[in-house]
Amino acid sequence: MSLNNLDQLYRTVIMDHYKNPRNRGVVAGDAVTIDMNNPTCGDRIQLQLQVEDGTVKDAKFDGEGCSISMSSASMMTQAVKGKKVSEVLEMSHQFSDMMLGKELDTDELEFGDIEALQGVSKFPARIKCATLAWKAMEKGVREE
């Protein structure tokens, strides 16, 4: 697949998550709630995580912002459900590395649509948009 076709595919995936967000809403039952924002872009997110026995049982978000921040939140909530806290923290670390232009290690962890955000690393001003939900998730699992 050519680079232009890959970029177009990634844009399509990002816009799909933006227009049809997964896991938007409120967690039923006990959950830790994290509010974060990115004043540079105006992104605002409220993330709710339900963690039991060291595993993320549920993750939902609400908020408003640019297509990068909202699609990243959608992708992240999909990716962390059912995973151990240690795994989601490793995913977050690798996601941060990807935002710095490093390659994802897809052998150990399943990233799915998240790979579509790797082009954001070329736009430093947008990195905070992409990492907002991930920073909220890290804070949430550490508070749990």
Side-chain angles (χ1 to χ4, degrees):
M1 188 177 289
S2 77
L3 195 54
N4 284 342
N5 288 347
L6 192 58
D7 283 345
Q8 184 57 45
L9 173 65
Y10 285 168
R11 275 193 291 276
T12 301
V13 169
I14 290 167
M15 290 311 294
D16 179 52
H17 276 272
Y18 180 61
K19 291 177 180 175
N20 307 293
R22 283 52 151 196
N23 303 307
R24 187 168 213 134
V26 179
V27 170
D30 289 339
V32 63
T33 301
I34 304 94
D35 292 295
M36 292 189 87
N37 66 37
N38 171 10
T40 309
C41 192
D43 302 320
R44 181 188 57 76
I45 186 173
Q46 180 179 76
L47 178 68
Q48 289 191 309
L49 295 170
Q50 192 172 58
V51 180
E52 294 175 11
D53 301 322
T55 300
V56 178
K57 297 291 185 189
D58 201 1
K60 297 212 185 265
F61 77 98
D62 199 7
E64 55 192 32
C66 69
S67 60
I68 299 292
S69 69
M70 295 294 103
S71 60
S72 183
S74 173
M75 293 174 193
M76 182 276 296
T77 56
Q78 271 193 310
V80 301
K81 278 188 181 183
K83 294 209 170 49
K84 295 197 174 302
V85 168
S86 58
E87 287 179 283
V88 301
L89 289 171
E90 177 58 26
M91 286 181 86
S92 187
H93 175 73
Q94 286 199 33
F95 183 79
S96 292
D97 282 352
M98 183 179 78
M99 290 296 102
L100 297 173
K102 298 178 184 172
E103 289 291 317
L104 275 179
D105 180 5
T106 55
D107 293 339
E108 290 191 27
L109 297 167
E110 178 60 45
F111 284 90
D113 287 350
I114 295 166
E115 293 180 59
L117 291 167
Q118 63 188 345
V120 173
S121 66
K122 297 176 194 146
F123 305 96
R126 304 311 299 273
I127 292 172
K128 286 183 180 177
C129 304
T131 58
L132 182 64
W134 292 86
K135 300 287 183 205
M137 181 272 295
E138 284 182 15
K139 184 176 180 189
V141 297
R142 289 192 170 113
E143 285 181 10
E144 188 52 39

